[in-house]
Amino acid sequence: MSLSKPVIVGLGEVLWDVFPDGPRFGGAPANYASHAASLGADSRMVSAVGRDELGERALQALQDLKVDISSVAQSDYPTGAVHVQLDAEGKASYEFLANTAWDHLEWNDELAKLAKRTDAVCFGTLGQRSDKSRQTIRRFVTSTPATCLRIFDINLRPPFYADDTILESLELANVLKLNDDELPIVAKLCSCSGTDLDVMRALAKRFHLQLVALTRGSRGALLVREDEVADHTGISTSVVDTVGAGDAFTATMTVSLLAGRKLSEIADQASRVAAFVCSQAGATPRLPDDFVLR
């Protein structure tokens, strides 16, 4: 961890969530970076947007949320967008625009410099759907210091992932975060069986993970670190939509890990922030000041 604010990087897609009532800024790594900034980190975004109106709006949205955008490239490809539908319980389904700016992430010397001073980086599978961006994302992760938290927030979005992408990303990571829809998929892929806790411990052992975190919606979260387990029952809230809640959980978990908090404290704080995000419209509502770690 840096002597000043930790440098935390969201690595991958920047896009707009197009809801029935209009577009809202999003993309899992961008949501993550935005929440990390709100929680007091030196938060950076590594991505690309188009030279279009949505691209300009995305850059402004990140700046408004105090995210450093110096590593967000501008491209001739269009800014990413995804059409979002919400069911009766507020759970989202997604339809992604193809061949967008974040599918064409270019490696450069500035990214190499940023990687070397990164304390935590979060990446997923969607940002790796193109060969070009997959190579850049993996190069960035492998260029970070040995002390860096390399967080694989799996974020499966069919059909934009492959078994090899999951397995190779697990090999790169030292922290894994996934939800209760994704755990059975990963368990089957890795030939793990038993309870959720059994599977998480097996994954931690096989891939040498420092921490495995499972989010379970209204049933809370389960965190495993070596022999330490935190089983959080969740925070009651009135759900407006769930978009961005998992990213808020991961960002809070990251900041808390870097601050050296106990696992039970990490689970509770991350659950509280995620519950707040569920109670608000959109993926990146401004967080109350009392969520910032002092």
Side-chain angles (χ1 to χ4, degrees):
M1 182 171 173
S2 302
L3 293 176
S4 53
K5 291 183 177 181
V7 176
I8 294 178
V9 173
L11 177 60
E13 64 270 20
V14 165
L15 50 79
W16 287 87
D17 292 320
V18 182
F19 287 84
D21 61 351
R24 300 175 194 159
F25 177 69
N31 297 339
Y32 170 87
S34 298
H35 289 303
S38 295
L39 293 164
D42 177 358
S43 185
R44 313 295 182 99
M45 187 69 215
V46 174
S47 189
V49 297
R51 304 181 195 277
D52 49 27
E53 181 187 355
L54 285 180
E56 293 298 330
R57 288 174 64 184
L59 293 174
Q60 189 60 57
L62 286 165
Q63 284 185 304
D64 289 347
L65 291 162
K66 311 301 182 187
V67 177
D68 187 306
I69 61 168
S70 58
S71 296
V72 180
Q74 289 189 282
S75 164
D76 292 332
Y77 293 93
T79 299
V82 52
H83 293 276
V84 182
Q85 297 294 329
L86 301 175
D87 65 17
E89 297 178 350
K91 194 166 186 178
S93 60
Y94 308 89
E95 181 184 348
F96 291 85
L97 183 68
N99 199 30
T100 59
W102 55 264
D103 290 306
H104 298 271
L105 297 183
E106 297 272 359
W107 181 255
N108 56 50
D109 289 343
E110 292 306 310
L111 290 188
K113 291 176 184 175
L114 174 59
K116 285 183 172 61
R117 58 194 189 87
T118 295
D119 293 299
V121 57
C122 184
F123 65 106
T125 53
L126 180 59
Q128 300 182 67
R129 71 178 183 176
S130 72
D131 290 340
K132 181 86 167 181
S133 292
R134 182 164 58 252
Q135 291 169 11
T136 299
I137 286 170
R138 294 182 184 185
R139 189 168 181 179
F140 188 99
V141 174
T142 57
S143 298
T144 58
T147 55
C148 179
L149 295 176
R150 299 173 173 182
I151 303 162
F152 181 34
D153 190 344
I154 190 165
N155 194 31
L156 297 179
R157 295 286 181 260
F160 300 116
Y161 68 88
D163 290 352
D164 286 350
T165 303
I166 296 172
L167 292 171
E168 290 166 13
S169 296
L170 284 166
E171 294 285 359
L172 287 178
N174 55 30
V175 174
L176 171 64
K177 183 262 179 180
L178 69 178
N179 64 35
D180 50 1
D181 291 327
E182 295 160 343
L183 185 67
I185 295 171
V186 179
K188 183 177 179 181
L189 176 61
C190 297
S191 301
C192 300
S193 60
T195 65
D196 290 350
L197 183 57
D198 291 336
V199 172
M200 293 165 71
R201 282 180 163 151
L203 291 172
K205 182 177 181 180
R206 174 173 171 178
F207 296 103
H208 308 290
L209 301 169
Q210 298 175 21
L211 173 69
V212 179
L214 173 68
T215 55
R216 305 174 296 196
S218 61
R219 296 186 298 113
L222 182 64
L223 275 64
V224 179
R225 179 170 59 185
E226 296 179 343
D227 294 330
E228 191 179 5
V229 176
D231 190 345
H232 197 283
T233 56
I235 305 294
S236 179
T237 190
S238 177
V239 175
V240 173
D241 71 59
T242 62
V243 181
D247 307 318
F249 185 99
T250 310
T252 309
M253 180 180 75
T254 302
V255 174
S256 300
L257 278 168
L258 291 170
R261 297 298 175 93
K262 294 179 181 178
L263 202 63
S264 59
E265 295 174 343
I266 294 171
D268 184 64
Q269 183 71 356
S271 296
R272 290 184 183 281
V273 174
F276 172 80
V277 173
C278 285
S279 75
Q280 308 295 307
T284 55
R286 199 167 296 277
L287 300 179
D289 289 341
D290 58 0
F291 282 144
V292 178
L293 287 182
R294 306 298 179 186

